Amino acid sequence: MKKIIIATRNKGKVKEIKDAFLDLPVELVSLGDIDSELPEPVEDGKTFIDNSLIKAKYYQEQTGMACLADDSGLEVEALGGAPGVYSARYSGENANDASNNAKLVEELKKLGLESSEAAYQCALTFIDTDGSVLQSQGFCRGEIRLEAVGSNGFGYDPYFYVGDKSMAQLTLEEKDAISHRGEALRKMAVQLKEYLQ
Ligand code: IMP
């Protein structure tokens, strides 16, 4: 059975990935499981796929295990694609969800807008111990509005609407069915299944 290190300490992501790979002959461990003090790699790629590759390569080399890494974020059309790869630290070094959302609202207000088309993106890279690489991407198109609704999810979800509902109003299962991460994971599961045969 192939042992894969998932390059995250986020328990929500670990669960999502384990669920998506339930039928695969893989043993999944996360950074949280291996009790490592590894410093994080510098994610200085220009795209989500670049950053997922940087992370996957780094943790594969550091742990000696095959590795799966993800990178994700929000692109807002009226803001020229921002925050993009800077989504986690949009409002600065000590950014958190609340400060990032406040900045998002402020930037749209500066433009005199009440909404903008937007998309979440997720990129996944798997690297095996022999250097073989598999990659997948997922998209979720929606709209950013100035009004926050809902308390589920995380990050920009209360401001990200698909139809009449914000992502923060959806259950985990509903979000997974339409989300960027759900799509990228389903595509990766298909590729991994074939690769591991
Ligand atoms: P990372 O891929 O975990 O580094 O996530 C980057 C950032 O993108 C997060 O901190 C969030 O701000 C944002 N983001 C990524 N996926 C989602 C999502 O599903 N909902 C809300 N925000 C997200």
Side-chain angles (χ1 to χ4, degrees), residues 2-6 60 63-68 126-129:
K2 172 74 63 188
K3 193 165 180 177
I4 302 174
I5 179 101
I6 308 170
Q60 193 289 311
T63 65
M65 284 183 246
C67 178
L68 179 79
F126 166 84
I127 301 193
D128 206 346
T129 46

Side-chain angles (χ1 to χ4, degrees), residues 69-123:
D70 82 317
D71 194 49
S72 58
L74 172 74
E75 292 186 328
V76 180
E77 193 172 296
L79 304 178
V85 290
Y86 304 105
S87 290
R89 48 189 191 278
Y90 188 35
S91 56
E93 272 303 303
N94 298 314
N96 56 34
D97 288 349
S99 63
N100 285 337
N101 281 321
K103 172 151 171 128
L104 182 65
V105 166
E106 190 187 306
E107 294 298 320
L108 283 181
K109 279 187 176 165
K110 271 191 213 164
L111 297 174
L113 294 173
E114 297 200 338
S115 66
S116 169
E117 286 188 16
Y120 280 136
Q121 279 206 48
C122 175

Side-chain angles (χ1 to χ4, degrees), residues 7-188:
T8 185
R9 294 177 194 278
N10 179 319
K11 291 195 174 117
K13 277 192 193 172
V14 173
K15 184 185 178 323
E16 235 179 300
I17 295 169
K18 285 189 172 169
D19 286 353
F21 293 176
L22 220 50
D23 295 337
L24 299 181
V26 293
E27 182 191 344
L28 300 170
V29 291
S30 75
L31 289 177
D33 295 328
I34 61 163
D35 192 29
S36 97
E37 303 268 295
L38 284 176
E40 290 183 3
V42 180
E43 293 175 38
D44 55 2
K46 290 200 165 41
T47 63
F48 298 107
I49 205 84
D50 286 350
N51 279 337
S52 69
L53 182 63
I54 289 170
K55 262 191 254 187
K57 259 192 186 151
Y58 173 80
Y59 287 110
Q60 193 289 311
E61 282 164 10
Q62 296 294 323
T63 65
M65 284 183 246
C67 178
L68 179 79
D70 82 317
D71 194 49
S72 58
L74 172 74
E75 292 186 328
V76 180
E77 193 172 296
L79 304 178
V85 290
Y86 304 105
S87 290
R89 48 189 191 278
Y90 188 35
S91 56
E93 272 303 303
N94 298 314
N96 56 34
D97 288 349
S99 63
N100 285 337
N101 281 321
K103 172 151 171 128
L104 182 65
V105 166
E106 190 187 306
E107 294 298 320
L108 283 181
K109 279 187 176 165
K110 271 191 213 164
L111 297 174
L113 294 173
E114 297 200 338
S115 66
S116 169
E117 286 188 16
Y120 280 136
Q121 279 206 48
C122 175
L124 292 174
T125 295
F126 166 84
I127 301 193
D128 206 346
T129 46
D130 67 357
S132 303
V133 171
L134 302 175
Q135 293 187 301
S136 69
Q137 277 185 277
F139 298 86
C140 178
R141 288 173 220 291
E143 188 179 68
I144 294 294
R145 295 185 196 155
L146 300 184
E147 187 196 0
V149 188
S151 54
N152 298 334
F154 69 100
Y156 300 97
D157 283 347
Y159 295 88
F160 187 96
Y161 290 74
V162 177
D164 288 344
K165 281 190 175 173
S166 84
M167 279 292 217
Q169 290 178 289
L170 304 184
T171 63
L172 207 59
E173 289 71 26
E174 286 169 338
K175 180 175 170 182
D176 185 54
I178 60 165
S179 83
H180 47 314
R181 199 166 296 102
E183 184 186 6
L185 279 171
R186 283 188 290 277
K187 287 182 178 167
M188 180 56 75

